[in-house]
Amino acid sequence: MSTTITLIPGDGIGPEVTEATRRVLDAAGAGFEYDVQPAGAEVAAAEGDPLPGRVLESIRRNRVALKGPVTTPVGKGFKSVNVRLRQELVLYANLRPVRTLPKVPHRFEGVDLVIVRENTEGLYSGLEHEVVPGVVESLKIITEVASTRIARFAFEHARREGRRRVTAVHKANIMKLSDGLFLKCAREVARRYPKIAYRELIVDNACMQLVLRPETFDVLLLENLYGDIVSDLCAGLVGGLGLVPGANIGSKVAIFEAVHGTAPDIAGDDLANPLAVIFSSIMMLRHLDQGGAATRIERAVHGVLSRAKVRTRDLGGTAKTSELTAHLVRLLRRGRAAAS
Ligand code: ATP
């Protein structure tokens, strides 16, 4: 029996890169049924909400979703769709592996790190108000429950994947209470994992160390905002946003999506790199115990990247999204035909 997953095409380059991923998944023999659920800017205009209840119901029902980037209309009173999804479905862990890929132009060798970002609180709690005219306040919420939960997730991930070190990133020298509590929870969890080294780095120093010696980092544990910013920095280390996948994981459901946004500057031009969403789908396949299809896609992607002509513009090539996808599909079909 085939598995049904929720597919959110999203806005901007979202429909192009999710369609590419769907073709690749089908060619790899993943055999999913897709429950397609539009969300985002156009949906807000048509249905009065960029994230209608049907989308959340579909994800709760199917427990797994593949998602393109989504725009939340600004200035219309809507809370961010991404933040709502993460909070309403309690997708508390954002996992983003960042690796140097063979044959991709990049400045650094040997990068192989994982970002573990707390996904439900911090400055993303959306608690902002005007104190008096000319003075506003944004509240950063850090709780013991969420900090301990994300620290445990980071150490468990490290243990499962054979990783050696967790680095907690913070600014507790300034935010003594909030980041102080985040660190206190991380330290307590770290004590229960004596085989995994634990260290702490102030976020500004972490950014400098990341561009000086990225190969020395393993698992990075961050609260929400630092996780967002450091993710893009790390994407830049390995060739850009077109390559970095992600998973939002909770105890009941998981949503797989790229780190990048809607890229309105290239949307609709067949220029987007679909590999970040394709890599996210590989994470999804492994989450669903479909390791065979995951490995087939991984091999095909490496095959494609070794040929400069088939790389997209962001990686210095000239291939369109559709050409790269067609090439991947051909490789996967050929591989399956040879195996049968
Ligand atoms: P949003 O507001 O949705 O976050 P944005 O443009 O601010 O959109 P991104 O979408 O992350 O942020 O894009 C940042 C830059 O990276 C843009 O120049 C964009 O074209 C480029 N980019 C992002 N994703 C891709 C991709 N998949 N392929 C090629 N270029 C990309």
Side-chain angles (χ1 to χ4, degrees):
M1 209 180 73
S2 65
T3 305
T4 304
I5 63 164
T6 301
L7 180 72
I8 303 172
D11 295 306
I13 59 170
E16 297 164 71
V17 290
T18 52
E19 178 55 27
T21 305
R22 187 172 159 163
R23 292 188 54 207
V24 165
L25 284 167
D26 291 346
F32 292 127
E33 297 284 331
Y34 299 96
D35 180 3
V36 179
Q37 294 288 339
E42 279 176 29
V43 171
E47 299 180 45
D49 183 352
L51 183 64
R54 60 172 168 74
V55 185
L56 289 166
E57 280 159 30
S58 164
I59 302 170
R60 285 199 178 98
R61 191 169 55 242
N62 297 321
R63 301 171 77 99
V64 170
L66 183 65
K67 174 179 168 296
V70 165
T71 304
T72 306
V74 179
K76 305 237 168 84
F78 296 119
K79 189 170 168 179
S80 156
V81 169
N82 290 329
V83 172
R84 271 175 70 196
L85 277 172
R86 292 165 189 174
Q87 289 178 347
E88 294 198 28
L89 299 169
V90 202
L91 300 166
Y92 64 88
N94 190 186
L95 187 65
R96 294 169 159 181
V98 181
R99 282 193 196 99
T100 314
L101 287 165
K103 320 282 185 193
V104 167
H106 48 71
R107 288 172 203 273
F108 300 97
E109 286 299 331
V111 180
D112 180 11
L113 58 86
V114 182
I115 290 171
V116 175
R117 167 189 176 191
E118 203 293 319
N119 226 5
T120 61
E121 53 179 32
L123 279 164
Y124 286 69
S125 303
L127 298 171
E128 287 192 312
H129 68 123
E130 187 177 59
V131 182
V132 291
V135 182
V136 293
E137 197 171 38
S138 297
L139 299 179
K140 172 163 171 165
I141 305 295
I142 298 286
T143 65
E144 196 174 314
V145 168
S147 303
T148 303
R149 182 173 61 183
I150 195 67
R152 204 177 290 136
F153 182 94
F155 277 91
E156 269 306 301
H157 181 80
R159 191 185 55 74
R160 229 182 11 255
E161 301 287 318
R163 291 186 172 267
R164 291 160 192 270
R165 176 149 79 173
V166 173
T167 303
V169 176
H170 67 96
K171 191 82 183 172
N173 50 332
I174 303 298
M175 279 159 278
K176 296 183 197 313
L177 282 184
S178 53
D179 284 17
L181 177 59
F182 185 80
L183 282 186
K184 176 173 168 281
C185 298
R187 280 175 206 155
E188 276 167 19
V189 172
R191 257 184 243 122
R192 284 180 242 142
Y193 294 83
K195 291 195 183 132
I196 298 168
Y198 171 72
R199 71 167 170 172
E200 295 165 357
L201 275 185
I202 295 179
V203 61
D204 38 356
N205 184 22
C207 289
M208 184 187 68
Q209 300 292 339
L210 273 165
V211 292
L212 282 176
R213 285 178 284 275
E215 70 286 353
T216 63
F217 285 81
D218 201 347
V219 177
L220 286 162
L221 167 62
L222 312 99
E223 62 79 83
N224 213 337
L225 181 65
Y226 309 150
D228 179 45
I229 296 168
V230 171
S231 291
D232 276 35
L233 185 154
C234 289
L237 300 173
V238 297
L241 285 168
L243 291 172
V244 180
N248 298 289
I249 296 176
S251 54
K252 298 210 173 86
V253 305
I255 298 182
F256 296 83
E257 65 177 336
V259 170
H260 66 69
T262 55
D265 50 337
I266 54 168
D269 295 337
D270 202 17
L271 288 175
N273 187 345
L275 291 179
V277 179
I278 291 171
F279 283 131
S280 305
S281 78
I282 291 176
M283 293 175 80
M284 179 180 77
L285 286 167
R286 299 222 157 97
H287 176 82
L288 291 167
D289 281 331
Q290 289 209 37
T295 305
R296 285 196 288 281
I297 298 176
E298 220 161 39
R299 280 205 202 113
V301 170
H302 289 161
V304 159
L305 286 175
S306 65
R307 300 187 47 195
K309 247 176 57 196
V310 209
R311 288 187 214 137
T312 44
R313 198 177 65 173
D314 57 311
L315 300 182
T318 54
K320 301 279 190 186
T321 315
S322 52
E323 289 165 345
L324 170 63
T325 309
H327 201 81
L328 274 173
V329 166
R330 260 199 310 279
L331 279 181
L332 285 161
R333 289 212 181 114
R334 212 182 293 152
R336 286 180 68 211
S340 63

